[in-house]
Amino acid sequence: MTMSKHRLSILISVGLASGALCASGAEKIDYGAQVTASGASGEFAPFYMASLRHGTLTQKFNTLAGIYARHDMDTTRRFSWAYGVAAMGGFASSTAYGRFVPEGEEGGRWTVRDCRPAAVRLQELYGSVKYRSLQLFVGMKERGSDWLDNDLTSGDLMHSGNAVPIPQVRAGFIDFQNIPLTKGWVQITGSIAYGKFFQDAWLKDHYNYYNSHITLGQLYTYKDIFLRSNPDKPLSVMIGAQIAGLFGGTTYKYKNGRIESVTHNGEGLKQFWDMFIPTEGSGDMFYEGQTLGSWNFMARYRLPGGHKLKGYFQWLWEDGSSMGRCNKWDGLWGVEYDAPAPWWVDGAVAEYVDFRDMSGPVHWAPGLNPGTTVTGEATGGDDYYNNYFYNAYANCGMALGTPMAMSPIYNTDGYPLFLLNRFHGFHVAVKGQLAKGLRYRVKFGYRRAFGTPLLPLPEPVHSYMAMCEGVYALPSVEGLKITAQLGLDRGKMPGNSFGALVSVSYDGVFDIKPSANRK
């Protein structure tokens, strides 16, 4: 990794929103606008200023303008619908990424390519309908974790809202539903989705074309299921699982600057089914595609007065070994406090993340080593978020899971996978209200990384991250807010950076009532 000279950057973004349909029949539109300016001294924006923002703020210099509109679903109705659109445009500073030019094209040497986000990009475009408890969703939408506090957490290990949304078709329950014959004591929710990455242009621009591989036209799938005890009781427990998969597309493997192989992966109904229910020997020498997932658990206790305490863990797996908990204590562990009303401290989170075991450092599969006389297998080196055949578990360079694992966008040598996914660290965050209309949020974290299980570092690297934020709602103009942030990184993941951010936002409500003459 290289360090850049300290420079100042500015980010400007503008937004417009619209929202829900009232039960009375009036169209209620929530609208708003946002302008943001930020500056950073490092090669990228500070960690906490860039993380969990759906991939919208990564560079050290940006000027962006965006609009978005949203119509929210009315969950009280038997039939309802929702839709949304968001787009951004403007200028962003570039970052130099290493690229190998083979012989015949400037003599086979290393060079650099300046890369920046697209001048115009679509952030959201979706529509969904619901009937009773079931929902069908089509498009791409910014989503965070469904079970963690997205304002305070370090990030869900499977789907954190850290990256640009993936276009997909999703079906499932609209929310938790009572299971028959349990008298409301047990509830269930779940969904299944298939999607397609639209990051080919980003991969082509940022790849070094020297080693590893990229897969263009890659497909995506996601499934989840959660069971919850009665949330109206003082003690409520939730357990569940999340499973994601990568498949399809065309894989280009490079070795020493030359194409080693080109493989067209299956994308038919059989492959879609095999990704729904993975079967040994269904494809790609072992199982179809890449599958990874997590076991989730949360216990919530409601104290007198409505204060809530939560304890939770999320165990990540990316192979049969880690699925069977051979990866020891790897995962996310956390506690959370939530107050019933605005207060000096009305929310707090403390989390510990550990990715160090990965079921051990040894992985041997005869199918990956043609001609070997060693026929036994050793499952280890799970290498979370990386795969021998498919892209890193990221979209446009930003991790789909926890941002605590350093995302590929920070690999300025053009390496397309996670370089520092074997790590551990902690994260704390607090939010509250200092006075009427004045809120704050503070985050602090630490990471120490050892490389990957197959490519360890000679010496570990570490990083300290901090961010403080204040939000003031102007009493003279309802809906007008001013937000300020300071961010600081110290270490080598990816480097030192100091940044500041100021934004002004406005939100209002507009009702379109049906005409009295309309029949």
Side-chain angles (χ1 to χ4, degrees):
M1 305 282 309
T2 59
M3 305 281 268
S4 67
K5 295 181 179 179
H6 292 281
R7 294 175 60 183
L8 184 67
S9 65
I10 297 177
L11 170 77
I12 300 177
S13 63
V14 180
L16 177 67
S18 66
L21 186 67
C22 295
S24 64
E27 186 93 7
K28 189 175 92 171
I29 301 173
D30 300 322
Y31 63 92
Q34 181 176 333
V35 177
T36 304
S38 76
S41 62
E43 197 168 9
F44 296 92
F47 174 79
Y48 280 127
M49 290 174 61
S51 299
L52 305 182
R53 299 178 71 109
H54 309 284
T56 59
L57 197 160
T58 58
Q59 305 302 103
K60 60 183 177 180
F61 181 86
N62 302 267
T63 55
L64 298 174
I67 58 174
Y68 61 96
R70 183 179 65 250
H71 172 78
D72 292 330
M73 188 171 291
D74 184 353
T75 58
T76 64
R77 290 185 166 188
R78 176 174 296 185
F79 176 81
S80 185
W81 66 91
Y83 55 82
V85 61
M88 292 183 178
F91 171 80
S93 63
S94 64
T95 302
Y97 287 84
R99 172 171 291 191
F100 185 77
V101 181
E103 292 182 2
E105 300 179 25
E106 303 181 25
R109 62 184 179 86
W110 280 92
T111 183
V112 295
R113 176 183 173 86
D114 291 331
C115 300
R116 57 167 52 92
V120 177
R121 59 184 186 261
L122 191 65
Q123 188 72 9
E124 289 187 322
L125 180 62
Y126 66 89
S128 63
V129 295
K130 98 167 187 74
Y131 179 72
R132 293 183 179 269
S133 61
L134 299 177
Q135 176 183 217
L136 177 66
F137 171 94
V138 179
M140 57 182 182
K141 179 183 180 181
E142 293 182 347
R143 298 175 182 269
S145 174
D146 291 329
W147 66 293
L148 301 175
D149 188 326
N150 290 291
D151 286 338
L152 298 178
T153 182
S154 63
D156 188 303
L157 302 187
M158 290 300 302
H159 185 81
S160 65
N162 187 57
V164 175
I166 300 172
Q168 59 193 265
V169 176
R170 177 185 294 253
F173 292 113
I174 190 69
D175 199 351
F176 277 94
Q177 305 296 320
N178 291 329
I179 295 179
L181 306 179
T182 66
K183 298 182 179 180
W185 275 97
V186 184
Q187 300 176 335
I188 187 172
T189 189
S191 65
I192 180 171
Y194 284 95
K196 183 179 179 63
F197 288 89
F198 280 81
Q199 60 172 342
D200 287 1
W202 192 96
L203 291 170
K204 291 177 182 178
D205 284 344
H206 293 74
Y207 183 42
N208 61 26
Y209 292 91
Y210 184 78
N211 57 4
S212 192
H213 63 275
I214 57 172
T215 301
L216 304 181
Q218 185 175 266
L219 302 178
Y220 168 81
T221 183
Y222 174 87
K223 302 178 285 288
D224 62 25
I225 183 170
F226 290 93
L227 296 171
R228 182 179 70 180
S229 65
N230 191 337
D232 295 331
K233 303 300 180 181
L235 176 64
S236 180
V237 176
M238 184 197 74
I239 59 174
Q242 297 170 264
I243 303 174
L246 311 177
F247 69 109
T250 301
T251 300
Y252 300 83
K253 288 191 176 184
Y254 281 76
K255 184 176 182 180
N256 298 327
R258 300 287 184 180
I259 292 183
E260 187 177 33
S261 64
V262 177
T263 305
H264 301 285
N265 307 312
E267 299 180 356
L269 291 177
K270 180 182 183 302
Q271 284 73 36
F272 275 73
W273 175 255
D274 288 339
M275 292 304 297
F276 177 57
I277 302 179
T279 304
E280 187 173 3
S282 59
D284 299 342
M285 294 179 289
F286 301 102
Y287 288 80
E288 188 72 50
Q290 176 199 12
T291 299
L292 66 159
S294 69
W295 305 116
N296 304 343
F297 173 86
M298 175 182 287
R300 186 268 302 152
Y301 185 73
R302 187 172 59 249
L303 300 169
H307 298 267
K308 299 176 184 177
L309 292 176
K310 299 178 183 178
Y312 52 88
F313 62 74
Q314 186 177 20
W315 293 339
L316 187 68
W317 54 265
E318 196 154 353
D319 205 341
S321 52
S322 52
M323 191 177 189
R325 293 303 300 152
C326 294
N327 54 354
K328 295 183 179 178
W329 299 102
D330 283 2
L332 169 70
W333 307 78
V335 292
E336 176 188 325
Y337 164 73
D338 180 43
W343 190 53
W344 283 60
V345 176
D346 52 35
V349 160
E351 295 178 336
Y352 174 73
V353 186
D354 201 331
F355 277 24
R356 288 180 296 173
D357 188 84
M358 298 198 183
S359 303
V362 178
H363 182 83
W364 177 263
L368 298 177
N369 300 273
T372 181
T373 59
V374 181
T375 58
E377 293 192 16
T379 54
D382 291 336
D383 205 6
Y384 305 146
Y385 298 163
N386 286 335
N387 187 261
Y388 176 81
F389 212 76
Y390 293 93
N391 294 326
Y393 191 60
N395 193 20
C396 294
M398 295 295 280
L400 290 167
T402 176
M404 294 285 277
M406 195 181 81
S407 296
I409 194 173
Y410 300 112
N411 300 339
T412 54
D413 62 357
Y415 187 70
L417 303 179
F418 286 81
L419 277 171
L420 302 177
N421 62 352
R422 186 170 176 262
F423 76 98
H424 69 133
F426 67 86
H427 160 90
V428 293
V430 178
K431 65 180 178 180
Q433 180 171 283
L434 298 176
K436 185 176 181 180
L438 178 60
R439 294 193 57 78
Y440 75 91
R441 185 170 54 143
V442 177
K443 294 183 177 182
F444 177 79
Y446 170 79
R447 300 177 289 173
R448 191 166 187 254
F450 306 85
T452 76
L454 304 180
L455 297 172
L457 295 177
E459 296 289 339
V461 295
H462 71 273
S463 177
Y464 292 93
M465 310 86 69
M467 186 273 286
C468 61
E469 173 190 80
V471 181
Y472 179 63
L474 277 70
S476 56
V477 182
E478 185 178 359
L480 186 63
K481 296 179 180 179
I482 299 175
T483 301
Q485 281 186 0
L486 293 175
L488 177 68
D489 295 346
R490 284 294 179 265
K492 296 182 179 180
M493 294 179 63
N496 297 335
S497 183
F498 173 76
L501 177 150
V502 176
S503 70
V504 179
S505 63
Y506 175 77
D507 295 288
V509 178
F510 182 68
D511 290 326
I512 302 177
K513 297 182 178 180
S515 171
N517 296 326
R518 187 179 302 170
K519 295 183 179 179

